[in-house]
Amino acid sequence: RPGREIILHGAGGLERRIPIDAENRLYVDWSFRLDSPQLTRESFHGVLRDHMDRARGDTNELRNLWRDKLVLVGSIASGNDLTDLGATPLEKETVLTCRYWNVANSVLTGRFVRQPPLAVELLLICGLAVAAVLFAWRMRALGAALATFLITALYAGIASQIYLHSRLWLPVVLPCAGLVLTHFALVTYRVIFEQGERRRIKGVFDKIVSPNIVSELLRTEKLALGGARRNLTVFFADVRGFTGLTDESHASATAYVAEQRLTGAEAEAYFDSQSEELLRTVNLYLGAIADIVKKHQGTLDKYIGDSVMAFWGAPTPNERHALTCVRAAMEAQRALYQLNQQRAADNKRREEDNVRRAAAGEPLLPLLKLFSIGIGVNTGTVTVGLLGSERHTLNYTIVGREVNLAQRLESHSGRDRILIGEATYMELLRDDPALAAACQPQLATQFKGFRSAIQLFEVPWKPEVLTPAIAPPSAAAVPPRAAA
């Protein structure tokens, strides 16, 4: 039956069905080697000697090796044209007559090598590939690699045992290769694409929260509410005069709309443009502060209206968190001072240009607003962790008495000042005695919600020489030390 089987009929209704492939080939069951104990073998010299002894009648020492045996004759000679040596799946070089006694063994025992249908082979290949997908998709890379190795070894072992017991030849190379290649393909995908997505998400959240918080959360397998007590330094900075400027801007916009008799969409568009300009201005100042916080490896917690809250010491440990925070506060004041210098110089040019515009009847250029900030810094033990709702918003933040005190210091600082608590001052004494010596003690102050008066210190930050023409407009509004 071409392409299916060979049917042999024997005596007594005995039948052998030999499976063959589409090209009418038989798979040899290489069960016996030349040195297998089930085989009897002898050289031609021995056979001829027995024949000659039998011919002479000398039969007392004849051996009966071949009774009821199927005998195959082959050559193991070497160095001449009778050589019949070659390789088999079991040996690199052996007597090639072994193919015939292995085929004869299969015919006699009715045990043949069979292959499963093509559909079964495809199912095995696809099944192992799907297993690789599940491992690589649901597990970490190392765990997925270990699982892939184990399932490959397990399948190869099962296939070997099935062959040994039933001579069913399950495919090994293609299913195992499909498993391994699928695993490596998915791992490559995760490394290239998922790491790219991870970087994109991290880049987005770096603009929303502090980068070290993003890194900490990305390393966390499962987010959970809760906190831990940590000693760290808290920073509050507030843009002074923003609320008054907001009211002033709204009143000015209302007057302009009334004067120009704008209504509907035109009036709304003008109000929106004024609001956008106001937000651009305050974001310029808040952005400068936030950049300095990140530069000094601080944790940017949140924006509270026109205020910035940050802290040092968590989630990234920092043994000198108080000194780092104070230096960031000093740099923030100096950066905004330089910003005010630039905007004041720009205002001077605008005033000169407005003289020409007024003479030509052109609209005047608005002058840029200048702001100052007040900063409060405090050190102490607080609770830090994820706060909020597991089903909704989570916020990595800090709470506690020392946080409230830092906010009180910021509110008390006025304009262009940095006030620190006594605990922060003691940290400066340890880490930077020169800076601590430059700090100016203030009168102990009683804050709402605190039982005892708090000892304060002011940190100097201003350049040695201030240019009067472009000094920040709020310099005159700094409260005297005695008043503090």
Side-chain angles (χ1 to χ4, degrees):
R1 302 178 64 185
R4 297 181 60 184
E5 61 184 358
I6 298 173
I7 304 176
L8 301 180
H9 301 281
L14 184 65
E15 183 180 87
R16 288 287 184 265
R17 294 179 177 269
I18 305 174
I20 57 177
D21 64 11
E23 299 181 17
N24 300 325
R25 297 178 302 182
L26 164 69
Y27 292 105
V28 178
D29 179 11
W30 302 94
S31 297
F32 299 111
R33 303 186 184 190
L34 180 63
D35 56 357
S36 296
Q38 294 91 335
L39 297 178
T40 301
R41 62 175 183 165
E42 187 178 13
S43 69
F44 270 104
H45 299 87
V47 175
L48 291 175
R49 183 178 62 250
D50 289 345
H51 174 70
M52 293 175 66
D53 289 343
R54 186 177 292 107
R56 292 193 302 265
D58 188 5
T59 60
N60 292 333
E61 296 182 3
L62 286 178
R63 295 168 299 169
N64 190 16
L65 298 178
W66 308 105
R67 182 183 296 275
D68 299 326
K69 296 284 187 177
L70 176 65
V71 179
L72 295 99
V73 180
S75 172
I76 58 172
S78 60
N80 54 51
D81 292 340
L82 298 178
T83 301
D84 190 23
L85 303 177
T88 70
L90 300 183
E91 298 172 284
K92 292 183 178 179
E93 185 174 69
T94 186
V95 181
L96 292 182
T97 310
C98 67
R99 76 182 69 175
Y100 301 113
W101 70 61
N102 278 301
V103 171
N105 178 69
S106 295
V107 173
L108 292 174
T109 61
R111 192 178 187 189
F112 302 99
V113 177
R114 297 175 293 107
Q115 277 191 299
L118 179 61
V120 174
E121 295 189 12
L122 294 177
L123 184 62
L124 288 173
I125 296 173
C126 295
L128 290 182
V130 170
V133 171
L134 294 177
F135 294 150
W137 202 259
R138 296 178 177 271
M139 302 172 65
R140 288 178 173 270
L142 183 59
L146 180 60
T148 300
F149 172 78
L150 292 177
I151 198 67
T152 301
L154 180 63
Y155 174 78
I158 292 175
S160 299
Q161 290 301 314
I162 290 177
Y163 179 82
L164 292 175
H165 286 85
S166 64
R167 288 302 188 266
L168 178 61
W169 180 13
L170 294 179
V172 175
V173 175
L174 285 181
C176 291
L179 177 65
V180 173
L181 291 178
T182 302
H183 166 74
F184 280 106
L186 285 177
V187 169
T188 303
Y189 169 83
R190 291 180 63 178
V191 169
I192 296 177
F193 294 96
E194 291 191 2
Q195 289 298 325
E197 181 68 9
R198 185 187 182 99
R199 288 191 295 269
R200 187 189 71 82
I201 293 174
K202 187 176 184 297
V204 172
F205 278 92
D206 278 349
K207 300 178 182 179
I208 302 175
V209 296
S210 187
N212 47 1
I213 293 180
V214 178
S215 299
E216 179 75 9
L217 297 182
L218 288 177
R219 287 193 296 267
T220 303
E221 284 292 323
K222 182 179 180 181
L223 299 179
L225 296 178
R229 291 175 59 79
R230 298 279 290 274
N231 183 269
L232 45 78
T233 300
V234 191
F235 168 101
F236 278 91
D238 181 77
V239 177
R240 304 304 191 203
F242 178 70
T243 303
L245 178 62
T246 301
D247 296 338
E248 178 185 336
S249 175
H250 181 72
S252 175
T254 302
Y256 180 83
V257 168
E259 179 183 347
Q260 299 296 323
R261 297 181 180 180
L262 301 179
T263 59
E266 291 182 343
E268 193 67 26
Y270 184 78
F271 280 120
D272 290 344
S273 66
Q274 294 301 302
S275 299
E276 290 175 3
E277 177 61 29
L278 187 64
L279 285 179
R280 270 196 299 270
T281 301
V282 73
N283 283 338
L284 180 64
Y285 284 80
L286 295 179
I289 299 172
D291 290 341
I292 292 171
V293 168
K294 295 180 180 180
K295 174 184 174 183
H296 287 265
Q297 302 301 313
T299 298
L300 184 62
D301 189 320
K302 62 176 70 72
Y303 295 102
I304 310 172
D306 54 353
S307 300
V308 175
M309 175 183 173
F311 51 89
W312 276 257
T316 305
N318 183 351
E319 295 181 356
R320 307 176 71 186
H321 50 78
L323 177 60
T324 307
C325 177
V326 171
R327 286 178 175 173
M330 296 170 65
E331 185 174 340
Q333 288 284 18
R334 289 168 181 166
L336 297 191
Y337 171 73
Q338 294 294 331
L339 179 61
N340 280 334
Q341 280 189 317
Q342 298 169 7
R343 291 170 72 86
D346 197 6
N347 280 342
K348 186 175 181 179
R349 289 190 293 270
R350 291 191 177 208
E351 288 175 351
E352 294 173 354
D353 194 21
N354 282 341
V355 173
R356 179 190 60 78
R357 286 174 170 268
E362 299 176 357
L364 303 181
L365 296 175
L367 298 182
L368 302 177
K369 303 297 182 182
L370 306 183
F371 293 105
S372 61
I373 62 170
I375 297 177
V377 175
N378 187 45
T379 301
T381 302
V382 302
T383 300
V384 56
L386 288 172
L387 301 180
S389 168
E390 290 184 344
R391 297 181 58 186
H392 300 289
T393 303
L394 290 176
N395 183 26
Y396 186 87
T397 188
I398 56 176
V399 294
R401 174 186 180 276
E402 308 304 331
V403 180
N404 297 335
L405 179 55
Q407 191 169 27
R408 299 288 195 280
L409 295 178
E410 173 266 305
S411 300
H412 189 70
S413 64
R415 297 174 179 269
D416 300 320
R417 301 177 72 197
I418 303 173
L419 292 184
I420 64 174
E422 186 175 7
T424 305
Y425 176 76
M426 298 305 294
E427 295 279 336
L428 293 185
L429 277 178
R430 183 194 66 187
D431 297 329
D432 192 344
L435 177 58
C439 294
Q440 303 168 2
Q442 308 293 298
L443 294 178
T445 304
Q446 180 71 47
F447 291 113
K448 182 179 180 181
F450 292 84
R451 295 181 179 179
S452 58
I454 304 299
Q455 179 63 53
L456 311 180
F457 297 85
E458 181 176 356
V459 180
W461 62 267
K462 295 182 180 179
E464 296 179 357
V465 179
L466 293 178
T467 305
I470 56 176
S474 57
V478 175
R481 192 175 309 142

